[in-house]
Amino acid sequence: MLGIGTPDSLMREIAPGVFVATATMYTTTTTVVAGADGGCLVIDPAVTVADLGALAAWLSARGLRPVAGWSTHPHWDHVLWSRSLGAGVPRYARSRAAQVAARDLPGLTAGADESAPGHDHELLGRLSPLGAGQVPWDGPRTEVVAHDAHAPGHGALFLPGSGVLVAGDMCSDIEIPLLDTDAADPFGGYRHGLGALASLSGVRLVVPGHGHVGDSSQFRRRVAADFAYLDAVEAGRDPLDPRLTQRWLRAEHDRHRALAGGLRDGA
Ligand SMILES: [Zn+2]
């Protein structure tokens, strides 16, 4: 469930008009940005059917109505939606992410069914492609930070007015960098994406897809830790990364090491 107890405890207002909920499952965040006339932008609503129901109830209690959605990347836990959020609301993603989601719809659906069953299959992964630039909505300026780290078509959102960076599955305090191992250049692609986020000026708060909201110094530390992790793995060293705790992260780390080893051997 998202948060606990009353709808008002569900969301934390991290900056004026920017709310973050944190689901128990995978410490997954959902971000809501308030816009004009009670409209709001809903970013990566997640994870369980009950979580989305609680989110919809909270929005309604606050007098907020979704007018746009955003999916940061085409992984199942970032392309969910519910009729209670409005079946006809445009849900944007980068063009490549929308294409990948359409192509991988059976896999995305299977992923959701396995881990968070009961989601509406007709709404899952239905994304409207958007080029670079801004999310077209009547609210605070919302810039798309495009790169292909972690997943193809990844699109973080940056709100220059409040300095909030909704990073998608990057810049986490609880996860190591998770590479898109199917990419042509997984390490280079990740470095490029991390560099794009690091080059933003005015980041005051970072919201990772999984983990905890960080301030500007935590954002810098996470970027540095992520680059240090990549440096170590690519060089064949053991990274001393305190985030390497859970078994599934160790398994991902082993895949990264094997990938880096293969690249070194082939070089
Ligand atoms: Zn992901």
Side-chain angles (χ1 to χ4, degrees):
M1 288 289 290
L2 277 171
I4 38 163
T6 61
D8 269 346
S9 68
L10 200 66
M11 293 291 226
R12 200 174 122 217
E13 188 168 20
I14 63 164
V18 182
F19 303 88
V20 174
T22 306
T24 304
M25 185 182 264
Y26 318 138
T27 321
T28 307
T29 62
T30 296
T31 304
V32 170
V33 185
D37 302 324
C40 68
L41 169 67
V42 180
I43 304 163
D44 287 356
V47 181
T48 65
V49 170
D51 290 334
L52 266 58
L55 172 67
W58 182 88
L59 291 171
S60 148
R62 292 281 302 208
L64 288 168
R65 172 180 39 88
V67 292
W70 178 261
S71 280
T72 57
H73 63 287
H75 287 165
W76 75 263
D77 50 334
H78 298 264
V79 296
L80 301 168
W81 199 256
S82 153
R83 270 174 213 285
S84 58
L85 297 172
V89 172
R91 298 153 54 198
Y92 300 105
R94 282 184 58 214
S95 300
R96 188 157 179 226
Q99 281 164 13
V100 169
R103 189 194 67 201
D104 294 348
L105 203 51
L108 295 174
T109 305
D113 284 352
E114 188 184 328
S115 301
H119 282 293
D120 190 332
H121 288 184
E122 282 182 28
L123 294 174
L124 196 148
R126 309 305 157 113
L127 307 176
S128 301
L130 198 70
Q134 298 176 40
V135 178
W137 79 298
D138 194 3
R141 182 182 164 92
T142 306
E143 297 170 354
V144 178
V145 187
H147 58 76
D148 294 310
H150 178 66
H154 201 297
L157 294 184
F158 181 53
L159 301 156
S162 53
V164 173
L165 171 62
V166 184
D169 280 1
M170 309 271 292
C171 301
S172 174
D173 59 328
I174 59 169
E175 291 179 348
I176 53 168
L178 296 168
L179 306 185
D180 176 8
T181 52
D182 294 329
D185 180 9
F187 287 94
Y190 205 98
R191 285 179 182 280
H192 178 81
L194 210 46
L197 299 178
S199 70
L200 293 168
S201 63
V203 175
R204 290 202 282 273
L205 292 164
V206 61
V207 184
H210 306 278
H212 304 94
V213 176
D215 63 17
S216 58
S217 65
Q218 285 163 331
F219 169 61
R220 297 288 156 205
R221 279 206 296 276
R222 290 178 197 181
V223 167
D226 287 351
F227 274 125
Y229 173 86
L230 298 174
D231 289 346
V233 173
E234 284 194 279
R237 287 185 276 111
D238 207 10
L240 297 169
D241 196 311
R243 298 171 297 186
L244 263 172
T245 50
Q246 299 182 61
R247 194 148 40 129
W248 76 272
L249 288 171
R250 285 242 150 239
E252 290 294 323
H253 174 55
D254 288 342
R255 291 173 68 210
H256 299 161
R257 280 177 14 144
L259 185 67
L263 291 169
R264 280 196 306 277
D265 290 345

